Amino acid sequence: MLGFVRTDNEALVSCLGDPQRTVAAYRELLRRGKNAVGAIRAGLRDGNPAVREGCCRLLDHLVDTESTDELVLMADDPDARVRIAAFHALACDRCKGGTCAPGPDRVLEPALHHLVADPDPHVRAMAAELVGKFAHSDPRAVAALRASHADDPSPAVRKKAGWFTPGGTVYERILPSGTE
């Protein structure tokens, strides 16, 4: 099956680090869904950053309550690609198929920290998306986004932060009903 020597979940997770096999392994793990989540969570501790990144991307689609805390921990991974994938998984509602996204009590503090302090501009941009989810409900989010919009060294981060500040395109589009 799939041209792999082994096709158990753990073997497929390790194949996420092989450029020749990553796409097929990813698709098969996604197809296996909840049955593969334990192996995917274990893959977050793999020594290969490509495996950790792939596991974050899979958990974006297969998220469950137990995985949220692990994704928050991945926001501090030494590899920027892993941090980007972790923040995307925490921020993106579209990929989750109706599953409830984590609340500010679990994700806002790490997102605020990385929006201000992460050395990678792509990570800061993803952190801005996560912080932006709380711009209507938490003044700290608005303050951090405004500061990033004004002062971030990256034009892309400044632009994205501006989308989520009051008056920004995304901020206005996601206004909670009854707050116009």
Side-chain angles (χ1 to χ4, degrees), residues 94-111:
R94 184 177 57 237
C95 297
K96 293 179 185 42
T99 303
C100 222
D105 57 316
R106 296 173 84 182
V107 299
L108 185 56
E109 284 301 324

Side-chain angles (χ1 to χ4, degrees), residues 74-136:
M74 298 313 292
D76 289 326
D77 193 89
D79 191 280
R81 294 167 302 174
V82 176
R83 295 192 308 273
I84 292 165
F87 276 118
H88 174 83
L90 292 166
C92 181
D93 294 331
R94 184 177 57 237
C95 297
K96 293 179 185 42
T99 303
C100 222
D105 57 316
R106 296 173 84 182
V107 299
L108 185 56
E109 284 301 324
L112 289 168
H113 168 74
H114 284 276
L115 177 61
V116 172
D118 200 281
D120 189 278
H122 296 100
V123 176
R124 292 194 310 274
M126 284 308 306
E129 286 189 29
L130 185 53
V131 171
K133 290 181 69 167
F134 307 106
H136 295 283

Side-chain angles (χ1 to χ4, degrees), residues 14-32:
S14 71
C15 288
L16 293 171
D18 178 348
Q20 302 299 316
R21 296 190 171 124
T22 189
V23 172
Y26 181 91
R27 287 181 181 157
E28 179 59 18
L29 287 162
L30 191 58
R31 188 191 69 72
R32 292 180 183 188

